[in-house]
Amino acid sequence: GESVGLHLPTLSVQEGDNSIINCAYSNSASDYFIWYKQESGKGPQFIIDIRSNMDKRQGQRVTVLLNKTVKHLSLQIAATQPGDSAVYFCAENLFNQGGKLIFGQGTELSVKP
Amino acid sequence: NAGVTQTPKFRVLKTGQSMTLLCAQDMNHEYMYWYRQDPGMGLRLIHYSVGEGTTAKGEVPDGYNVSRLKKQNFLLGLESAAPSQTSVYFCASVVAGGPNEQFFGPGTRLTVL
């Protein structure tokens, strides 16, 4: 079946440190993945995406790594700030099936000042 | 440009009551989605639509109905609410034509007593 799961439900880091959030997926045919950030009381907000023909993609302070061999992706946040505190979800996008998203459970990132 | 809006923001229902949640988007997106999010979990797809007049079932469709009479609106109906439908409901939309970012609304918090 199709599923996306996360390794750690919570992550606590010191302000200024780098954060790494991990995600495993099961559908080997998936070729598009998205990371979302969800702050309390709000809807998910797009952070970064990656296609399966890439193994790394960088944004502003964020990097996503994709390892198709072990069906794993990660989100790295550089110099983590208090405003980064949120729940982070990886999602598998089935764009050939009406663009559906399959979400993982989420990792709650807490940044200590 | 308001993006994706949802009405209402909060609602309390008694078991057996019915209600309709409204999602509206002003980005001329073809695809629209309804998700539910339960505590500590990722979003799960209820129903979706790839165009005006078309709808399809998602992962957890039982107890819900939807309609897409206008391109900009996607309605989610609960005919006979049950406590198991207590959740936060999110609407999302995306432009058609390949993997693209889904834009989410702010959510509707529904409690069924």
Side-chain angles (χ1 to χ4, degrees):
Chain A
E2 300 157 349
S3 67
V4 180
L6 295 178
H7 292 307
L8 296 174
T10 60
L11 178 64
S12 183
V13 300
Q14 204 71 36
E15 181 179 358
D17 287 351
N18 296 334
S19 303
I20 300 176
I21 301 171
N22 296 303
C23 178
Y25 64 94
S26 60
N27 187 346
S28 57
S30 299
D31 58 5
Y32 182 57
F33 303 90
I34 308 173
W35 280 100
Y36 282 93
K37 173 186 180 183
Q38 186 177 27
E39 296 175 293
S40 180
K42 296 183 179 180
Q45 179 182 8
F46 174 92
I47 301 173
I48 192 168
D49 59 5
I50 188 167
R51 299 196 185 201
S52 62
N53 60 355
M54 305 170 68
D55 54 19
K56 181 179 180 179
R57 190 166 188 216
Q58 288 184 292
Q60 187 176 11
R61 284 201 306 118
V62 294
T63 300
V64 55
L65 300 178
L66 175 63
N67 185 330
K68 295 183 289 295
T69 302
V70 295
K71 292 186 284 187
H72 178 271
L73 64 159
S74 66
L75 177 70
Q76 301 178 1
I77 305 174
T80 313
Q81 303 169 0
D84 295 326
S85 294
V87 177
Y88 290 81
F89 294 96
C90 66
E92 175 186 356
N93 182 267
L94 307 178
F95 68 89
N96 287 326
Q97 296 182 34
K100 295 186 290 185
L101 289 173
I102 306 295
F103 281 85
Q105 182 182 8
T107 294
E108 182 172 9
L109 176 64
S110 177
V111 182
K112 296 176 289 186
Chain B
N1 192 336
V4 180
T5 59
Q6 293 181 233
T7 308
K9 290 184 170 54
F10 303 94
R11 187 72 185 269
V12 178
L13 291 178
K14 294 180 180 179
T15 295
Q17 288 185 318
S18 63
M19 78 163 294
T20 300
L21 283 67
L22 170 64
C23 176
Q25 53 93 5
D26 60 2
M27 297 173 283
N28 203 35
H29 287 169
E30 290 81 6
Y31 296 177
M32 296 186 73
Y33 311 84
W34 275 108
Y35 296 89
R36 62 176 287 172
Q37 185 176 31
D38 298 309
M41 295 182 66
L43 283 69
R44 292 182 293 168
L45 182 65
I46 305 171
H47 286 281
Y48 65 103
S49 168
V50 298
E52 184 178 323
T54 69
T55 63
K57 294 181 180 180
E59 189 182 355
V60 288
D62 294 341
Y64 305 94
N65 57 75
V66 287
S67 64
R68 183 98 181 268
L69 298 180
K70 294 182 179 181
K71 185 178 184 179
Q72 63 268 32
N73 295 337
F74 195 28
L75 278 63
L76 178 70
L78 286 73
E79 292 184 345
S80 180
S84 61
Q85 294 177 305
T86 293
S87 190
V88 181
Y89 292 85
F90 288 99
C91 177
S93 71
V94 67
V95 65
N100 288 295
E101 174 189 351
Q102 283 193 17
F103 291 85
F104 284 83
T108 294
R109 185 173 294 275
L110 176 65
T111 300
V112 183
L113 302 176

